[in-house]
């Protein structure tokens, strides 16, 4: 394993001794006995939390990937319910890559070594309808095994790459993706049959869903012919090579999409008419009786959202629901599902009667189009699902606080709330929402990933009883002292109330002035789920006051706040970072001359906008993988928030950091991976040129072999160390 320094990674057999010694250190000076680099190295001190968990249809078992030793590779485990007994059923290392006939032995050895470095183990699973078999993709193939781990075998041996195995509801077939098409595997005979025949260059099947009667599949089709390209210099193989990648530049109008149906026997896709090919789909679902399909989709400019139903077999379509953003744009959160009787479509939205509201649940009748509220409160819903064989709904809500979640079971007039932790997330977090829990077909068994800022996500039983099922952290994790974490609020721009988490060492000398940091800035960055060690490390080992804030575009505050940086990204939320600085400066134990700020991706962008347009608010900033010119980013993201660049050049100019290079005051570090195919490295190159023209000095850290995540075994510890050390060095100076 590669290392961030000459320091060796601590062997597993020494963890017990280290645990005892570091426990003494922790009691002596209340410091974390590990560097930030070590906390980001494998084996992970917090262990590797369960990943990809799936509950069996009858709720008797949960399968998941796990490595509680903190090792990199996830192995496969089964948890029996309700007992909670856990046992390993598969060691991932027992599965090997297929050989390659024409690859020289030395090249194949090097290729396998690179694959091993990237290998994270098994974390995707699909249960058979009767719960007696599990399918999962791994190392280019789909594997099948019995629920106890026995009878492991590959479904098909091929180097073509096979993905996303999904059982048909009747259990006869497994559908999967290969070569941009959908294929079907006969579980009884082993026969493989191609179902779709997409052949035009740059077209593909990008999703499929079985009809409940297993007779047809809903197909999502896309054509990326209009998508542009970008050129990067790739240093991952030694000598720098120019590499061309697809890039949907703003103005390319991105992919064309269609939905259609193909029978289980295969054939040409019958496409549904009435939905524009330039739309952005949210999701699609079959009615339980297999007689109709509901498709949620956004207009090309994200100003409107519609639900279209298509009857089977005619595929006659009609719009049963339509809404238009009262201002700003439509957020992504628009779940669509069916009532059990197939008469109503249930969906989530944050718009009602032409106004933004909190995220709520409604249903619309497919015949009369009558709209009825199902759950409308003064707080956001983060997720909704209906168990397969039940009428009740399972919601994830932010009823206690916009920073925490709970699970709600809606059964008629009955509303049961499940809060596994006093504070924290009751399900896994997702970008701009919360993940739904895992629920058995009858809805009586509920399992979820639960965690907070001091506890990495763990598998919990939520119903019929609340019970922790997994314990991932290593013994060394118990030696880590934790800062006191409290929820705080402060005034923001336009009358908003900003919410955050404040990290303060328990033994902080409040008679002295201490540096403070606004950490990991982004939308939803104050949510009370596991977020790593940085905030705690700054607080406990460097006696800093640390603030995490839910900036504009965070969920939990209603639609107006969630979409509130429309055409003013980096402007209104830079006002919010300035207000965060004012809040910290108001604390009597904070040195207002020593404030720091850092962020990654959009957070890196916002760090730049803050340092360049709010000079003096912060002494030191670190921007990782930042956007510096929005015309270089993709259309899906920028068009909804800023419009088309050709139509709004002034908006793109005023929201891009390259416009404000002359405004820099204080210390600034930029970190970026050269092979970043999300935020292209040219953003940092352009920004550096603007700093040169403005005669401004900044620090730069380039990662030649890393992409947007900077996540290689050697790179992640190093970049986290650079962030922390840069903040500490500058903020602790006299």
């Amino acid at each position: 394993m590669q290392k961030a320094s000459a320091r060796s990674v601590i062997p597993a057999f020494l963890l017990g001794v280290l645990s005892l010694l570091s426990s003494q250190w922790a009691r002596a000076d209340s410091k974390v006995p590990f560097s930030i680099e070590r906390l980001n190295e494998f084996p992970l001190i917090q262990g590797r939390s369960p990943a990809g968990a799936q509950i069996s249809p009858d709720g008797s078992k949960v399968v998941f990937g796990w490595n509680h030793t903190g090792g990199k590779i996830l192995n496969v485990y089964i948890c029996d319910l309700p007992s909670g007994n856990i046992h390993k059923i598969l060691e991932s290392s027992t599965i090997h890559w297929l050989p390659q006939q024409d690859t020289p032995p030395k090249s194949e050895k090097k290729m396998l070594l690179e694959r091993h470095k990237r290998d994270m183990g098994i974390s995707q699973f699909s249960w058979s309808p009767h719960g007696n078999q599990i399918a999962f993709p791994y190392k280019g193939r789909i594997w099948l095994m019995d629920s106890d781990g026995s009878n492991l075998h590959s479904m098909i041996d091929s180097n073509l790459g096979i993905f996303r195995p999904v059982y048909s509801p009747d259990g006869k077939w497994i559908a999967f993706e290969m070569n941009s098409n959908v294929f079907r595997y006969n579980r009884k005979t082993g026969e493989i049959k191609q179902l779709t025949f997409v052949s035009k260059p740059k077209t593909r099947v990008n999703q499929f869903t079985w009809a409940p009667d297993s007779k047809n599949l809903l197909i999502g089709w896309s054509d990326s012919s209009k998508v542009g390209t970008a050129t990067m210099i790739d240093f991952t193989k030694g000598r720098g090579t120019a590499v061309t990648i697809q890039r949907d530049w703003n103005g390319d109008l991105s992919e064309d999409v269609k939905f259609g149906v193909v029978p289980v026997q295969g054939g040409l896709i019958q496409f549904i008419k009435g939905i524009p090919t330039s739309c952005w789909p949210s999701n699609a679902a079959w009615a339980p009786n297999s007689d109709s399909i509901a498709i949620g989709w956004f207009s090309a400019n994200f100003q409107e959202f519609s639900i279209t139903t298509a009857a089977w077999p005619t595929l006659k379509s009609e719009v049963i629901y339509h809404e238009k953003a009262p201002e700003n744009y439509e957020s992504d959160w628009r779940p669509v599902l069916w009532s059990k009787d197939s008469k109503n479509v249930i969906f989530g939205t944050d718009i009602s009667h032409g106004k933004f509201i909190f995220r709520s649940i409604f249903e619309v009748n497919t015949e009369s189009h009558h709209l009825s509220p199902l759950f409308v409160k003064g707080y956001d819903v983060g997720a909704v699902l209906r168990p397969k064989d039940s009428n009740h709904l399972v919601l994830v809500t932010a009823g206690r606080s916009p920073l925490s979640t709970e699970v709600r079971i809606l059964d008629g007039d009955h509303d049961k709330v499940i809060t596994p932790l006093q504070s924290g997330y009751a399900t896994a977090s997702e970008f701009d929402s919360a993940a739904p829990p895992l629920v058995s077909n009858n809805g009586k068994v509920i399992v979820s990933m639960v965690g907070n800022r001091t506890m990495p996500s763990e598998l919990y039983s939520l119903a019929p009883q609340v019970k922790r099922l997994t314990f991932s952290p290593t013994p060394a994790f118990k030696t880590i002292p934790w800062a006191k974490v409290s929820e705080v609020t402060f005034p923001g721009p336009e009358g908003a109330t900003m919410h955050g988490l404040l990290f303060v060492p328990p033994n902080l000398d409040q008679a002295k002035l201490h540096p403070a940091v606004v950490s990991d800035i982004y939308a939803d960055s104050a949510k009370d789920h596991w977020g790593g060690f940085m905030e705690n490390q700054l607080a406990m080992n460097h006696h800093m006051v640390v603030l995490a804030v839910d900036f504009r575009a965070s969920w939990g505050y209603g639609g107006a706040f969630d979409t509130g940086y429309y055409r003013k990204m980096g402007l209104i939320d830079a006002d919010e970072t300035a207000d965060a600085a004012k809040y910290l400066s108001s604390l009597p134990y904070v040195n207002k001359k020593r404030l720091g700020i850092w962020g990654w991706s959009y957070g890196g962008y916002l760090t730049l906008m803050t340092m360049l347009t709010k000079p003096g608010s912060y002494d030191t900033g670190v921007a990782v993988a930042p956007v510096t010119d929005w015309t270089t980013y993709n259309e899906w993201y920028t068009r909804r928030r800023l419009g088309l660049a050709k139509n709004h050049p002034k908006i793109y100019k005023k929201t891009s950091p390259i416009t404000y290079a002359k405004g820099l005051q204080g210390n600034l570090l930029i970190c970026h991976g050269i092979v970043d195919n999300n935020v292209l490295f040219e953003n940092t190159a352009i920004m550096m040129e603007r700093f040169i023209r403005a005669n401004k000095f900044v620090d730069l850290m380039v990662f030649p072999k890393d992409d947007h995540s900077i996540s290689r075994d050697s790179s992640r510890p190093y970049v986290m160390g650079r962030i922390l050390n840069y903040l500490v060095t500058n903020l602790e100076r006299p």
Side-chain angles (χ1 to χ4, degrees):
M1 184 180 72
Q2 294 177 308
K3 301 173 179 62
S5 66
R7 180 184 65 260
S8 298
V9 175
I10 302 165
F13 68 86
L14 288 179
L15 282 176
V17 176
L18 177 63
S19 173
L20 178 62
L21 293 175
S22 57
S23 176
Q24 300 300 319
W25 299 333
R27 287 193 293 269
D29 59 9
S30 296
K31 286 189 176 182
V32 178
F34 307 102
S35 67
I36 195 67
E37 290 90 345
R38 174 64 192 95
L39 292 171
N40 284 276
E41 288 176 344
F42 290 105
L44 298 176
I45 286 174
Q46 74 270 28
R48 285 205 66 192
S49 295
Q54 293 293 328
I55 193 169
S56 61
D58 65 357
S60 66
K61 292 179 172 61
V62 179
V63 61
F64 55 96
W66 195 33
N67 194 326
H68 54 85
T69 70
K72 189 174 183 179
I73 305 297
L74 294 171
N75 301 307
V76 184
Y77 287 77
I78 285 284
C79 177
D80 295 321
L81 299 174
S83 69
N85 293 331
I86 295 176
H87 40 101
K88 186 194 298 185
I89 63 170
L90 178 63
E91 189 86 25
S92 297
S93 62
T94 60
I95 294 178
H96 304 285
W97 290 95
L98 285 171
Q100 297 194 13
Q101 178 70 45
D102 299 317
T103 303
K106 287 186 178 180
S107 298
E108 184 173 21
K109 184 177 180 180
K110 184 178 180 180
M111 177 186 68
L112 291 174
L113 179 61
E114 287 300 316
R115 284 177 168 177
H116 178 71
K117 290 178 181 178
R118 296 192 299 268
D119 187 9
M120 303 295 284
I122 303 170
S123 61
Q124 298 179 42
F125 307 96
S126 179
W127 282 98
S128 65
H130 299 101
N132 58 353
Q133 190 180 69
I134 300 168
F136 60 92
Y138 188 52
K139 293 185 177 177
R141 290 180 280 177
I142 290 175
W143 297 87
L144 307 175
M145 66 180 174
D146 293 345
S147 59
D148 61 358
S150 63
N151 195 24
L152 174 69
H153 61 284
S154 64
M155 192 174 73
I156 177 175
D157 286 344
S158 171
N159 276 318
L160 294 175
I162 305 172
F163 308 97
R164 220 166 73 82
V166 182
Y167 290 88
S168 62
D170 64 7
K172 293 181 180 179
W173 323 98
I174 299 176
F176 60 93
E177 295 178 15
M178 182 172 67
N179 281 345
S180 301
N181 278 288
V182 177
F183 290 73
R184 184 200 72 194
Y185 171 80
N186 187 314
R187 293 183 66 200
K188 185 175 181 180
T189 67
E191 174 198 20
I192 302 287
K193 182 175 177 58
Q194 186 168 346
L195 300 185
T196 64
F197 301 87
V198 174
S199 56
K200 179 184 174 182
K202 297 188 177 181
T203 62
R204 63 189 176 99
V205 173
N206 56 19
Q207 61 176 290
F208 65 87
T209 306
W210 281 103
D213 63 7
S214 302
K215 294 180 180 179
N216 299 285
L217 294 95
L218 173 65
I219 300 295
W221 169 96
S222 65
D223 180 352
S224 60
S225 300
K226 295 186 297 185
V227 175
T229 60
T231 300
M232 302 190 308
I233 304 299
D234 184 355
F235 291 96
T236 60
K237 299 176 179 62
R239 180 179 297 177
T241 305
V243 176
T244 300
I245 62 171
Q246 276 202 317
R247 184 70 171 182
D248 59 332
W249 300 97
N250 184 283
D252 284 349
L253 304 182
S254 195
E255 294 184 333
D256 286 333
V257 297
K258 294 181 182 179
F259 286 93
V261 176
V262 68
V264 72
Q265 295 81 14
L268 298 180
I269 303 170
Q270 300 179 58
F271 288 110
I272 299 169
K273 297 180 180 180
I275 300 176
T277 59
S278 59
C279 76
W280 302 91
S282 62
N283 65 310
W286 283 95
N289 63 10
S290 300
D291 286 347
S292 189
I293 300 161
I295 301 168
W297 54 277
F298 298 94
S299 60
N301 61 4
F302 289 96
Q303 291 295 311
E304 301 175 57
F305 172 75
S306 302
I307 299 175
T308 294
T309 56
W312 178 256
T314 65
L315 292 185
K316 181 181 178 181
S317 65
E318 65 172 334
V319 175
I320 65 168
Y321 175 78
H322 175 263
E323 68 183 28
K324 190 172 183 178
E327 56 180 324
N328 304 338
Y329 57 89
E330 298 260 0
S331 72
D332 277 332
W333 190 80
R334 293 297 185 272
V336 175
L337 56 152
W338 285 85
S339 60
K340 187 183 177 185
D341 62 10
S342 300
K343 294 181 179 180
N344 300 292
V345 173
I346 300 167
F347 66 99
T349 183
D350 53 14
I351 295 173
S352 179
H353 295 95
K355 296 180 180 180
F356 277 125
I357 60 172
F358 284 94
R359 293 182 177 183
S360 304
I361 306 300
F362 294 82
E363 69 175 1
V364 57
N365 185 270
T366 58
E367 293 186 2
S368 68
H369 300 184
H370 177 72
L371 186 67
S372 302
L374 296 181
F375 191 86
V376 182
K377 303 290 183 181
Y379 49 84
D380 271 359
V381 177
V384 56
L385 65 83
R386 181 186 60 80
K388 177 178 177 292
D389 301 326
S390 174
N391 284 311
H392 71 254
L393 297 179
V394 179
L395 310 182
V396 181
T397 60
R400 295 175 294 165
S401 160
L403 307 184
S404 296
T405 64
E406 58 277 331
V407 171
R408 291 177 183 269
I409 302 173
L410 299 183
D411 191 0
D413 295 330
H414 180 62
D415 181 1
K416 180 181 179 182
V417 181
I418 304 173
T419 53
L421 298 177
Q422 185 175 358
S423 65
Y425 256 49
T427 67
S429 64
E430 289 188 347
F431 185 79
D432 196 35
S433 64
L438 307 173
V439 183
S440 62
N441 283 355
N442 64 10
K444 295 182 179 180
V445 182
I446 302 178
V447 174
S448 185
M449 295 297 297
V450 175
N452 59 26
R453 286 289 177 151
T454 61
M455 187 187 84
S457 295
E458 297 288 359
L459 195 64
Y460 269 67
S461 167
L462 300 187
Q465 61 178 337
V466 176
K467 178 182 179 180
R468 182 171 173 175
L469 300 174
T470 59
F471 295 82
S472 302
T474 66
F477 184 82
K478 298 178 182 179
T479 69
I480 296 175
W482 293 95
K484 180 182 178 182
V485 183
S486 55
E487 184 172 344
V488 298
T489 61
F490 57 90
E494 299 183 348
T497 297
M498 308 301 297
H499 289 249
L501 292 178
L502 190 67
F503 300 75
V504 178
N507 58 348
L508 185 72
D509 184 352
Q510 297 195 14
K512 297 181 179 179
L513 294 179
H514 302 271
V517 174
V518 180
S519 183
D520 197 12
I521 63 173
Y522 212 111
D524 298 309
S525 63
K527 295 294 190 278
D528 195 4
H529 55 68
W530 177 248
F533 295 99
M534 180 64 81
E535 291 75 26
N536 192 65
Q537 197 82 355
L538 288 168
M540 298 304 298
N541 284 24
H542 301 282
H543 298 282
M544 293 188 181
V545 178
V546 185
L547 179 65
V549 181
D550 266 9
F551 291 103
R552 198 72 50 139
S554 297
W555 81 277
Y557 308 91
F561 189 88
D562 192 9
T563 61
Y565 59 8
Y566 180 61
R567 297 190 178 177
K568 48 188 177 182
M569 291 195 304
L571 302 174
I572 190 167
D573 40 0
D575 289 341
E576 292 171 343
T577 62
D579 287 335
K582 292 177 184 176
Y583 166 74
L584 287 172
S585 298
S586 72
L587 301 177
Y589 46 86
V590 166
N591 183 351
K592 62 182 179 181
K593 295 182 179 180
R594 292 292 181 266
L595 302 184
I597 188 170
W598 80 274
W600 200 305
S601 193
Y602 186 92
Y605 157 78
L606 185 53
T607 296
L608 288 180
M609 289 296 286
T610 299
M611 295 295 292
L612 304 183
T613 69
K614 304 294 180 182
S617 293
Y618 291 89
D619 174 83
T620 300
V622 180
V624 184
V627 174
T628 65
D629 178 357
W630 283 115
T631 65
T632 70
Y633 204 54
N634 67 61
E635 173 157 325
W636 169 84
Y637 190 92
T638 56
R639 187 177 182 183
R640 70 167 59 188
R641 295 166 172 85
L642 299 175
L644 289 173
K646 63 182 180 181
N647 296 336
H648 304 284
K650 292 182 179 179
I651 291 175
Y652 276 76
K653 182 179 180 180
K654 74 178 183 180
T655 57
S656 293
I658 56 172
T659 305
Y660 307 101
K662 293 180 179 180
L664 177 64
Q665 293 182 19
N667 310 292
L668 177 63
L669 167 66
I670 299 177
C671 303
H672 211 143
I674 287 184
V675 288
D676 188 338
N677 61 359
N678 180 4
V679 178
L680 302 177
F681 181 76
E682 69 179 75
N683 282 269
T684 288
I686 295 169
M687 191 75 246
M688 293 304 297
E689 174 62 23
R690 295 299 178 94
F691 282 134
I692 291 170
R693 295 179 189 178
N695 196 31
K696 296 291 183 177
F697 177 81
V698 299
D699 293 294
L700 176 66
M701 186 69 233
V702 174
F703 293 80
K705 295 188 176 184
D706 278 280
D707 59 16
H708 192 62
S709 62
I710 312 182
S711 59
R712 294 185 307 130
D713 289 355
S714 57
S715 303
R716 176 49 67 98
Y718 187 84
V719 71
M720 298 308 289
R722 286 290 291 146
I723 294 168
L724 183 140
N725 291 331
Y726 194 82
L727 292 169
V728 169
T729 299
N730 286 292
L731 297 179
E732 287 186 346
R733 72 184 191 277

